[in-house]
Amino acid sequence: MTTLRTALIAEDEPLLAAHLRTELQQIWPDLAVTAVASNGVQALNRALELRPDVCFLDIRMPGMTGLEVARALAEEWPDGPGTAPFPLLVFVTAYDQHAVQAFELQAVDYLLKPLSTPRLQSCCQRLQQQLARRDTRHPPASTDLLAVARQLQALLGAQGVPPAPATTPKLEFITAQTGHTVEMVAVEDVVYFEAADKYVRVMTADREYLIRMTLRELITQIDERRFWQIHRSILVQTRFISRAVRDEQGKLTVKLHRRSETLPVSRVYAHLFKGI
């Protein structure tokens, strides 16, 4: 008796996504593609919603790269008894063999563009073997999501925006446009920064501003001693952290001085709050 498996395809090129889906249907009839995402944010949301067995992630996508999606999945995937196993990851990339070797360390497999049917067949065989081994473990082995997230974080660092030179002065003011007015926001007054699509929300004690910048770019320009990254989308100024609280499910949140909302702490950054 065969077991029906599920998969998600994240690919911003519609023809390539359709081709991969058609090939998978022929090679692996018992694999149901339950979602096709055209950007990284959609891929992350659909994967968390549907909990597929396999994710085919394009490396270069709008919104979030395939690596960023993988890291975010490792950070946010539920962990504990009764939860779905972390999906097997396959990166789809146009990178050369040298770069692919790095991806292979973090994933079950990789596929080079343009896709080759024999290569996809061997990939599917590898996935089937991994899933079969996972099914026969009693009790099922728990995925070390923290280790996965940290590995992907390290790989992202290797592929991401290079750090600013040590001699580069850190930002002291943020310029934020409100209508026809450009306001100068002192960085020392910022409680936290939060990524929002192509913008970053700048949250002070009593105001909110939007700046057209990615969080990744911002990280290279601010003092990391003053701002901690506690989530893939959040940087918080340490002097505004009141306390960190762990709930019954083990999830950490941060309470703030001068703002009422709480902020999530992803598992990869939980070590910042030792003893919690």
Side-chain angles (χ1 to χ4, degrees), residues 67-263:
L67 283 172
E68 289 170 332
V69 171
R71 182 192 64 177
L73 279 175
E75 290 179 8
E76 299 183 23
W77 197 267
D79 196 12
T83 58
F86 189 71
L88 303 184
L89 303 179
V90 177
F91 289 122
V92 183
T93 175
Y95 285 13
D96 61 20
Q97 181 65 34
H98 178 73
V100 164
Q101 289 173 355
F103 301 144
E104 191 175 16
L105 296 175
Q106 316 300 331
V108 170
D109 211 343
Y110 65 89
L111 296 170
L112 282 174
K113 298 179 181 180
L115 297 181
S116 158
T117 298
R119 182 69 185 83
L120 183 57
Q121 288 174 332
S122 66
C123 174
C124 288
Q125 290 174 356
R126 189 172 179 179
L127 290 167
Q128 289 168 339
Q129 291 168 358
Q130 290 273 5
L131 290 169
R133 282 197 292 268
R134 190 178 73 183
D135 289 347
T136 56
R137 291 170 185 158
H138 298 288
S142 61
T143 302
D144 187 351
L145 293 176
L146 176 59
V148 173
R150 286 182 175 171
Q151 288 174 341
L152 289 162
Q153 174 74 18
L155 186 53
L156 265 172
Q159 300 291 329
V161 176
T167 55
T168 301
K170 301 299 183 181
L171 283 178
E172 294 295 332
F173 292 91
I174 298 286
T175 56
Q177 185 167 350
T178 305
H180 298 290
T181 304
V182 175
E183 301 195 39
M184 303 294 290
V185 183
V187 170
E188 66 179 13
D189 294 334
V190 177
V191 179
Y192 67 93
F193 298 99
E194 183 175 20
D197 290 332
K198 298 178 182 178
Y199 295 87
V200 170
R201 298 170 68 207
V202 181
M203 311 298 290
T204 65
D206 53 5
R207 293 285 303 275
E208 174 182 343
Y209 305 90
L210 281 179
I211 57 173
R212 193 173 182 83
M213 177 185 288
T214 67
L215 199 70
R216 187 187 296 182
E217 293 168 335
L218 180 65
I219 288 172
T220 67
Q221 301 179 48
I222 62 171
D223 189 345
E224 64 275 7
R225 295 169 299 180
R226 293 167 60 186
F227 286 86
W228 283 0
Q229 184 165 15
I230 62 169
H231 188 274
R232 63 184 174 83
S233 62
I234 298 173
L235 296 171
V236 61
Q237 187 161 188
T238 54
R239 72 186 184 94
F240 288 112
I241 297 176
S242 170
R243 61 192 182 278
V245 179
R246 189 181 297 277
D247 65 16
E248 294 179 354
Q249 285 74 43
K251 294 183 179 180
L252 271 178
T253 55
V254 160
K255 307 291 185 180
L256 303 170
H257 294 297
R258 303 185 65 186
R259 290 199 67 93
S260 60
E261 63 265 38
T262 60
L263 303 178

Side-chain angles (χ1 to χ4, degrees), residues 1-52:
M1 180 178 177
T2 57
T3 303
L4 182 65
R5 305 294 188 179
T6 59
L8 174 144
I9 295 173
E11 171 59 63
D12 65 325
E13 299 178 35
L15 290 178
L16 198 151
H19 174 65
L20 176 56
R21 186 171 194 166
T22 300
E23 289 281 286
L24 286 171
Q25 288 173 342
Q26 296 177 357
I27 295 170
W28 192 353
D30 295 314
L31 181 71
V33 177
T34 54
V36 177
S38 59
N39 61 67
V41 175
Q42 186 183 53
L44 173 61
N45 292 336
R46 294 294 279 159
L48 289 172
E49 174 191 355
L50 298 172
R51 314 283 171 83

